[in-house]
Amino acid sequence: MAAVTKTPRTPALNLHEGLAKLSTYPYQILTFVDPDGYPVSVAVAASIDADGGSATFASPAGLTIPTDADVSLTGSHIRPQPGYGYDERRHVTVWGRPAPATNWGAGRGAVSFTAARAWGWDEAEVPFFEYSERSTGQSKKYFDALSVERGTPVKPRLSLGWLALRTTRLPFLSATIVPVVLGIAIAARHGSFDLLTAVLTVIGASFVQLGLNVANDVFDTAQGADDANLTPTKFSGGSRVIQYGLVSFRQMAGLATIFYVAAGLIGLLLLALRGSPALLVIGVVGFIVSIGYTAPPLKFVYRGLGEIAVAIGFGPLMLLGAYVVQTRGALSWEPFVASLPIALLVALILYVNEIPDRRGDARAGKRTLPVRLSKPTVIAIYQVAAVAAYAIVVVGVIVGQLPIPALLALLSAPLALQVSRGLAPNYDDPYGLMAVMGVNVKVHLYAGLLLLAGYLVVLIAGALAPSVNLFLH
């Protein structure tokens, strides 16, 4: 069953709803501009008729309320949470034209207020971060108007270091470094290691991922997916640098090109140094998978094939690529088997990260698995894939394709269980799910590092005592 999407509420309110919300506050803030041009705000206790679209309140002593311009009535609430911040944030403002009250019983000097428009936000209805995303368009208009007024471009700024981290999503390079270093370690165990090509492989593979990260933002923006996403998190929804005006679309496209060209040059150098048909095939397939992830006409992730593309790219291709560079083209079952749990766990990072994006993705025609499938099915697939990842490690050891210390990877299984348990209660809460997504990233990282640690144990043991190494196999 396909997931049902619903467009979240906007802060705009109809008059009845705005006045009804305003009536829940014991006092309202009357705001207007006095004859001298100064803003004035004063508390009043208004009697509100939501059905009639009006309010009545006593004229504040010593103040003259203009009857030839709009005024506003505002109600707001916020609850401080020491050491945490604030919650229960809500706000409503109703604008309208005041006039002397003429109805019987209104009181001398009373003011009648006829509502014209209303606006409000309630954190219980629209989360704060989503509300902030909804304000992006208004912010752009403000900066555009300010740029015209000043005659020079005015836009948001971020320090170069933080901008680089955000633009490239550099912290997620672990998805590349783990399988590449693991492939190098397996090759070293098989007697093949060259430091120069190992370093070049890590750098080249990193450029591929950085190019992929930036290109994803470019193509998702071009196809409307990131603009339609109103609930991005630090793990999902793209870097948002284009949406926030921090980096232009053209600059992002240029940066992606630079990363891919740099990766290609290093790939050609590795091919010249350690050339083999296998390395060439892996490189070509890797490039196609990387570009085709979001770029037309392939658009794997838009067709529900994103997890497969990520699993192949960051599993067998990365690990086998690093392995064949060291072995000058020799292939083996061991690095392929070792790449499978890594592939599944990295695919699950994307899979879970797509859950909070599913409404925006659906509006943009990005038919990911969480868009296509029901909540129970999505959760069940995660559980099956996670179990399969760890089962491959166990079976690999049993059949002799992986060394016994590879079982260290099983120590990360409790984290996968934690993610599994956190999916259902946070499925429809993008910001509650954010902590779960963080743990899910650790599942892949820790499992990969523990698997690598197992190979390091084998390498060290082999160097110190060959007979021990034979036992560990």
Side-chain angles (χ1 to χ4, degrees), residues 202-227:
V202 172
I203 296 174
S206 297
F207 279 143
V208 171
Q209 185 184 344
L210 294 175
L212 171 64
N213 290 347
V214 178
N216 285 350
D217 280 354
V218 172
F219 290 113
D220 277 342
T221 297
Q223 295 169 90
D226 281 350
D227 290 330

Side-chain angles (χ1 to χ4, degrees), residues 345 348-349 352-353 382 419 435-444:
L345 294 179
L348 289 180
I349 294 178
V352 173
N353 289 359
Y382 178 89
V419 174
V436 178
M437 291 188 284
V439 175
N440 196 40
V441 172
K442 292 180 180 178
V443 174
H444 169 264

Side-chain angles (χ1 to χ4, degrees), residues 64-140:
T64 301
I65 301 174
T67 57
D68 58 348
D70 283 351
V71 303
S72 68
L73 290 175
T74 297
S76 63
H77 169 81
I78 189 169
R79 184 176 71 171
Q81 293 280 47
Y84 167 74
Y86 302 92
D87 66 355
E88 294 187 356
R89 289 166 284 200
R90 56 182 181 268
H91 175 101
V92 60
T93 296
V94 180
W95 290 268
R97 188 62 60 90
T102 57
N103 57 306
W104 179 262
R108 187 173 183 178
V111 175
S112 176
F113 172 87
T114 302
R117 58 192 175 94
W119 173 93
W121 167 61
D122 190 331
E123 190 168 21
E125 299 172 353
V126 180
F128 174 74
F129 297 105
E130 180 180 336
Y131 169 72
S132 299
E133 286 297 322
R134 289 183 174 277
S135 302
T136 301
Q138 183 178 351
S139 300
K140 286 182 177 178

Side-chain angles (χ1 to χ4, degrees), residues 388-403:
Y390 292 105
I392 289 171
V393 175
V394 174
V395 173
V397 171
I398 292 174
V399 300
Q401 286 297 328
L402 299 178

Side-chain angles (χ1 to χ4, degrees), residues 317-344:
L317 290 181
M318 285 285 187
L319 204 150
L320 283 172
Y323 180 85
V324 299
V325 167
Q326 296 300 306
T327 62
R328 294 183 181 273
L331 290 170
S332 170
W333 279 109
E334 183 176 351
F336 176 74
V337 173
S339 75
L340 296 181
I342 301 298
L344 285 172

